[in-house]
Amino acid sequence: MSTYLISNARPEGGDPSDLLVVDGTVTAVGAPGSLDVPEDAEVIDATGLIALPGLVDMHTHLREPGREDAETVETGTRAAARGGYTAVFAMANSNPVADTAGVVEQVWQLGRDAGWADVHPVGAVTVGLEGERLAEIRAMAESRAAVRMFSDDGKCVHDPVLMRRALEYVKAFDGIIAQHAQEPRLTEGAQMNEGAVSADLGLAGWPAVAEEAIIARDVLLAQHVDSRLHICHLSTAGSVEIVRWAKERGVTVTAEATPHHLLLTDELVRTFDPVYKVNPPLRTDEDVQALRRAVAEGTIDVIGTDHAPHTAEDKECEWSWAAHGMTGLETALAVVQHTLVDTGLIGWQRVAQIMSRRPAEILGLTDQGRELAPGAPANIVLWDPTGATPVDPSRHASKARNSPYRGMTLPGAVRATFYRGHPVVRDGELATPLAR
């Protein structure tokens, strides 16, 4: 049995408190020095640190099976722990695709064996992500992985009949369809956001309406069948308006924004550095500001990293040939502090909501995202808001180096991550995994 006293932490930015962790559970919380502490407790000095529930990422690419040269479940969850995450949802676009019970169980077991964070596989909506027929949704839901979210992320479920059938199917077990909103005919050959910059550079543009048209269609389908819909990596001001309208009408829709869409704009594409090539593309400053306001007001429910690791071969090449995607697990909380907290848009309670509690609620997790109160599982991140995170991808735990923040210094730093009461990160560095 392990016992830790986390002393003088500020739960969700509140008053300093002591937290007693015994055998993986928060057993007591009180004013500093007020708790009855066992003699064998190890004291963790958290003076000045903010204690948040372990972060939950609804949108991670771990690449295994099939692209272990870019990332593995082991390295990806190491990166997650370094970023303060204690649970991640692994998207289905592996090779083979996670469209069967066998593949999702493999990913789930790899996560348990690694011991750095909970890994919840996301099942594919369609076989092979091909958009032609539904995958083995029921079998994945009834597997040991107990899949509840299904997505063809990387591709859009563009056929409205298939999308309707998927929404109807998951309704039977309170599942959720997570849509990559991209009308394929409107984005053929697209290289970046359609706008003034694409016109200047002569690159084929991806219009905002390609995202917005799918979201508009799908919120109406979700309303029609009374099922749950989640919008992945929402990126435009128009998409915000559609989601807001749908929520006002009572549609059961949730939405996520990525850290990079809260900070970076399409002006960076002028460098032709493929590290800035991502799907959906970086948008305009007007879109960035609309997304920030939407997170603050609650139209956007969660922050999803869309951590998309790639090999150097796939990213360090000509722009038109480069793969889409950016790493993000190890920098997400720092970007959120920079764009939302330090700008005064939200406080730390809202950070806990969008990065931990709300994703756990959406996905039915009862052992993640809990308020740090007696009886809660001890999934905890200790964050130093006065620290700094110099971004050097060569020092990241991820196998990949395609961080768009390289060379930047972001505010704040993870000092410790407790996963089920076990410190997987201490003093900002990886410690030891949880042994099961």
Side-chain angles (χ1 to χ4, degrees), residues 171-184:
K171 182 180 176 182
F173 52 86
D174 197 30
I176 188 167
I177 300 295
Q179 176 67 294
H180 174 115
Q182 176 189 357
E183 169 48 59

Side-chain angles (χ1 to χ4, degrees), residues 99-102 104-105 135-148 150 169 173:
D99 57 4
T100 66
V104 297
E105 286 192 350
E136 297 177 8
I137 290 175
R138 173 65 74 174
M140 289 186 280
E142 294 178 349
S143 71
R144 289 187 302 157
V147 177
R148 287 297 176 270
F150 299 86
Y169 202 91
F173 52 86

Side-chain angles (χ1 to χ4, degrees), residues 2-4 21 23-25 377-380 418-423 434:
S2 56
T3 304
Y4 298 92
V21 174
D23 201 23
T25 301
N379 295 308
I380 304 166
F418 283 78
Y419 169 48
R420 299 186 180 274
H422 177 75
L434 175 68

